[in-house]
Amino acid sequence: MTTTTFADRQVELTDDGFFADPSQWSEDLVPALAAADGIDELTDDHWTVIRFMRKEYLENGTGPNVRAHGKTSGYTEKQLYKLFPKGPAKVAARLAGISKPRGCI
Amino acid sequence: MPRNIVILGGGTGGTLTANRLRKHFKPSDAVISVVDKNRYHIYQPGLLFVPFGLAYADDLIRPRERQFKKGIDFYESEVDHVDIEGRKVFLDDGRALAYDALIIATGARIVPEETEGLTGDGWMEKMFTFYDAPGATALARAYNEFEGGRIVVNVADMPIKCPVAPLEFCFLTDWYFQEKGIRDKVEITYVTPLDNAFTKPRAASALAGLLDEKGVKLVTEFNTGEVDGPGGRLISYDEREVPFDLAVVIPVHSGAEFVGRSEGLGDALDFVETDKHTLQSKASPAIFAIGDAANLPASKAGSVSHFEGEILVENVIRFLADKELDASFDGHANCFIETGFSKALLIDFNYNQEPVEGHYPTKVGMPLLKESRLNHLGKLMFQWFYWHSLLPGRDIPGINPDMPTSGKHLN
C-alpha cells in the first residue's frame, strides 16, 4: 500500500496501482491518473469507458474483464485496446478508481 | 400434487443433483426431469490425457441416462429459453416443462470461433484444442507425428474450465517429448492472459517455478486477439506476437446459449447470475445454478460442482418448503495438477483462502502444493469415484463441502 498524490489530493493505492478505497476517487482526478498511465489526451470514448467501468463496479463489485466489456460497453475489444493500449481492463479500472478486476479462477 | 423439479444439463452437476433430489423426495412428492442436448456423458478431466496416448476418448464416455437413479425423466433436447415469470422451460422441439424449482447445470462451452482466425486455415491441422473429444483425439495424432519445433499452449481468455489444465498440459508435453527422446528439439511456451502462471500468489509462484524447472517459457498478460494459422503466429490485442509450429489453444468460454435468450438470467458471457453462498439465481427465487453454468467467483471445476451439490439440494428442498436458505457455500475447490513422470500436485482452496502448502484433508493426508506420487494416484483413482460415488450423489467419507483448514500451513 502506498500513498500518492494526484491533482493535489492524497489517495491510497494498492501495490499494483489500484485504488485501495474506491470512495477516494472522483472524476476530477481522472486526467492526472490518465497521465500517470501514459494517456495524455482523454477523449469522449475514454470517458464513456471509464464511467462504464465505474458503474459496473458499483453494481457488481468488480470491473468487467475485456471480453465481457467488449460485449456490453458498445466498444469492441479491438477498439478498447486502441483506447487503452496497455490493457483496457486494468488501465480503465485504475482510471475509474476501482479495484483490480477479479481474475476468474 | 407432486412438485415439478426441472434440471437443465445432465453433466456432473445436473446428474449428482438429480440423484440427490431423487433420494430425498418420494415419487409422489416430486417429479424430477433432466434435459440435455445429447445422450453421452463425458468424463471431462480425462481429456487432458488423450493427446499423450494415456487415455482414449471412447473410454471416457458413458450413456447419460444410465447415470440416473430410477424415477428421473430424461428429455433429449436443446433448450430454447426459460420463461422466468411463467416458470416454464421451452424446449427446442416446442414442448414446455412447467417447474416449481429449476436448476441450471448446463456448464460452460468453448467458443473457438470467437477468436479471429482460430477456426480458419490450420484449425485441427496446426491449431488444436484438447477441451473436446474430437480436438483431443486430433491432437494425439499431431503429437505422435511431431518431430520438433515450437509448441505454444495458449489460454485465449478467462474464465475457462479447469484453470490448471493448461499448466498440466505443459508439464505433460515436457514429459511426452522427453519420453520420445526429442525434448531438445521441442520448444514449449505457455502464453496466458494472467500476470503469472496462475492467479493466487503462492500457487502462482510454485507453478511458475515448475514451468521454469521443466524448461517451459512463460509469456504473461497476453490477450489473444488473433491466431494466424498460415503465418504460425499468435497475435495479442496489444500487437505482440508469439510464433508457433503447433498451437494448443484453450478457446474462450461462454455459458449455454439459452441463458442469453432468457431475459435477465445471465451475465455478458451467458453465465447465470447466482448468489455465491446460496446458489440461488438473482433472476428468480425458483431458479438455482450449479457448476460451470454459474457466474460465481470460484473455479469452473468438477470438484466445485461436487461441493456445491449438497448445499444446492438442501436449498432446493428449503425453497420448496418455504424455508430460509442455507447460505453456506464457501467456494471450496480441490484440484489435482498432473506434473508428468507419475507425479501430481494438489491444491485446496475457497473464496477467501488461497492454495497453500500442508496436507489434505487433515495433517496426515495428501501433500498440498507439492509434487508427489500419492497425488498422481489420487488423480487416477478419482475417475472411479466420479462414476461410482460422485455422480450417484454419495458422500465420500472425509471429503466435505466446507474447506478444511486443519492440515494447512496458513501463515
Side-chain angles (χ1 to χ4, degrees):
Chain A
M1 202 88 80
T2 51
T3 305
T4 317
T5 306
F6 289 106
D8 298 329
R9 284 239 309 274
Q10 289 207 331
V11 295
E12 298 278 325
L13 296 183
T14 61
D15 293 340
D16 34 17
F18 295 88
F19 271 60
D21 175 6
S23 72
Q24 291 185 334
W25 179 90
S26 57
E27 288 200 353
D28 55 310
L29 294 177
V30 175
L33 292 167
D37 251 314
I39 297 170
D40 297 326
E41 200 198 329
L42 279 169
T43 62
D44 288 348
D45 288 333
H46 285 106
W47 276 109
T48 307
V49 172
I50 291 164
R51 288 177 182 137
F52 177 81
M53 289 292 279
R54 186 80 188 172
K55 181 173 150 279
E56 285 281 311
Y57 172 80
L58 293 175
E59 285 172 7
N60 302 316
T62 181
N65 73 7
V66 186
R67 192 167 146 242
H69 204 145
K71 287 181 186 288
T72 50
S73 67
Y75 295 89
T76 66
E77 284 181 69
K78 269 195 175 160
Q79 290 170 325
L80 290 168
Y81 270 94
K82 286 270 179 291
L83 290 169
F84 303 96
K86 288 188 200 160
K90 281 189 174 181
V91 174
R94 274 201 284 265
L95 269 51
I98 65 177
S99 55
K100 189 177 175 178
R102 220 166 27 210
C104 312
I105 78 159
Chain B
M1 277 289 283
R3 316 296 289 272
N4 285 312
I5 302 175
V6 175
I7 299 168
L8 304 182
T12 309
T15 303
L16 70 87
T17 300
N19 288 334
R20 280 177 179 267
L21 285 167
R22 188 69 288 169
K23 268 199 268 189
H24 177 84
F25 286 110
K26 287 187 294 215
S28 55
D29 290 338
V31 174
I32 299 172
S33 309
V34 179
V35 181
D36 201 290
K37 61 179 184 283
N38 66 43
R39 294 182 166 270
Y40 302 101
H41 188 130
I42 183 161
Y43 176 65
Q44 293 190 70
L47 289 172
L48 169 71
F49 295 104
V50 172
F52 307 101
L54 298 171
Y56 295 95
D58 286 351
D59 298 333
L60 304 173
I61 294 167
R62 296 190 181 187
R64 222 181 264 298
E65 282 177 82
R66 293 269 294 278
Q67 314 312 317
F68 299 135
K69 290 192 181 307
K70 273 196 194 124
I72 291 171
D73 299 332
F74 180 65
Y75 294 81
E76 183 183 355
S77 175
E78 291 273 4
V79 175
D80 186 73
H81 71 284
V82 178
D83 171 4
I84 297 171
E85 288 292 306
R87 297 201 176 177
K88 265 186 196 157
V89 176
F90 286 85
L91 305 185
D92 249 20
D93 57 16
R95 284 181 292 187
L97 300 173
Y99 63 81
D100 295 294
L102 177 70
I103 294 137
I104 298 175
T106 35
R109 63 195 172 96
I110 56 170
V111 199
E113 57 278 7
E114 207 176 295
T115 299
E116 192 178 331
L118 179 55
T119 51
D121 286 349
W123 176 236
M124 300 285 254
E125 286 160 19
K126 63 198 285 197
M127 292 103 79
F128 299 88
T129 184
F130 64 96
Y131 267 53
D132 63 14
T137 303
L139 185 52
R141 268 197 303 278
Y143 260 35
N144 189 36
E145 289 161 10
F146 197 72
E147 288 171 351
R150 296 159 302 184
I151 293 177
V152 301
V153 179
N154 171 229
V155 175
D157 203 356
M158 301 299 280
I160 59 168
K161 291 187 268 197
C162 192
V164 296
L167 289 162
E168 299 179 275
F169 192 88
C170 291
F171 300 144
L172 286 170
T173 295
D174 165 65
W175 163 81
Y176 180 84
F177 289 108
Q178 283 201 43
E179 289 287 299
K180 257 182 121 173
I182 57 165
R183 180 64 180 88
D184 57 330
K185 297 199 181 96
V186 180
E187 186 183 297
I188 310 167
T189 308
Y190 182 53
V191 183
T192 170
L194 300 175
D195 57 10
N196 202 338
F198 198 59
T199 46
K200 305 286 174 165
R202 273 158 87 171
S205 107
L207 292 164
L210 269 177
L211 286 174
D212 189 49
E213 230 172 77
K214 292 173 188 291
V216 178
K217 290 187 190 161
L218 176 62
V219 175
T220 58
E221 297 191 76
F222 191 95
N223 278 85
T224 307
E226 185 186 344
V227 181
D228 170 13
R233 302 176 297 165
L234 303 178
I235 306 161
S236 67
Y237 281 112
D238 58 359
E239 292 166 0
R240 286 179 289 153
E241 294 186 5
V242 178
F244 65 80
D245 298 300
L246 192 160
V248 180
V249 179
I250 292 82
V252 298
H253 287 41
S254 289
E257 285 171 291
F258 81 85
V259 175
R261 290 192 293 263
S262 308
E263 185 71 30
L265 190 56
D267 65 11
L269 305 181
D270 295 342
F271 293 110
V272 178
E273 305 228 40
T274 307
D275 182 279
K276 68 179 190 173
H277 296 300
T278 64
L279 308 174
Q280 189 175 45
S281 144
K282 292 183 180 169
S284 160
I287 302 177
F288 294 80
I290 183 169
D292 299 351
N295 77 336
L296 305 185
S299 277
K300 296 202 177 298
S303 65
V304 174
S305 299
H306 175 207
F307 296 134
E308 287 170 340
E310 206 175 306
I311 293 155
L312 175 88
V313 165
E314 174 65 24
N315 278 342
V316 170
I317 294 164
R318 288 189 186 196
F319 167 74
L320 290 173
D322 283 324
K323 287 187 184 151
E324 197 182 331
L325 303 189
D326 171 22
S328 70
F329 184 62
D330 67 356
H332 187 192
N334 178 294
C335 313
F336 289 108
I337 305 173
E338 190 72 9
T339 55
F341 301 94
S342 303
K343 286 187 184 171
L345 229 79
L346 178 65
I347 55 175
D348 190 66
F349 55 104
N350 68 13
Y351 289 140
N352 303 315
Q353 177 58 54
E354 65 164 313
V356 293
E357 298 79 3
H359 290 86
Y360 176 86
T362 63
K363 279 178 190 156
V364 290
M366 292 190 271
L368 289 169
L369 211 50
K370 190 166 165 266
E371 280 187 286
S372 84
R373 286 181 189 276
L374 186 63
N375 289 336
H376 167 71
L377 291 176
K379 175 139 187 146
L380 296 185
M381 260 171 52
F382 187 73
Q383 187 165 352
W384 190 92
F385 275 106
Y386 181 82
W387 296 111
H388 298 283
S389 193
L390 191 148
L391 291 184
R394 295 197 184 100
D395 295 327
I396 303 176
I399 309 294
N400 298 316
D402 299 346
M403 187 200 71
T405 52
S406 71
K408 290 193 171 73
H409 302 168
L410 292 177
N411 290 306

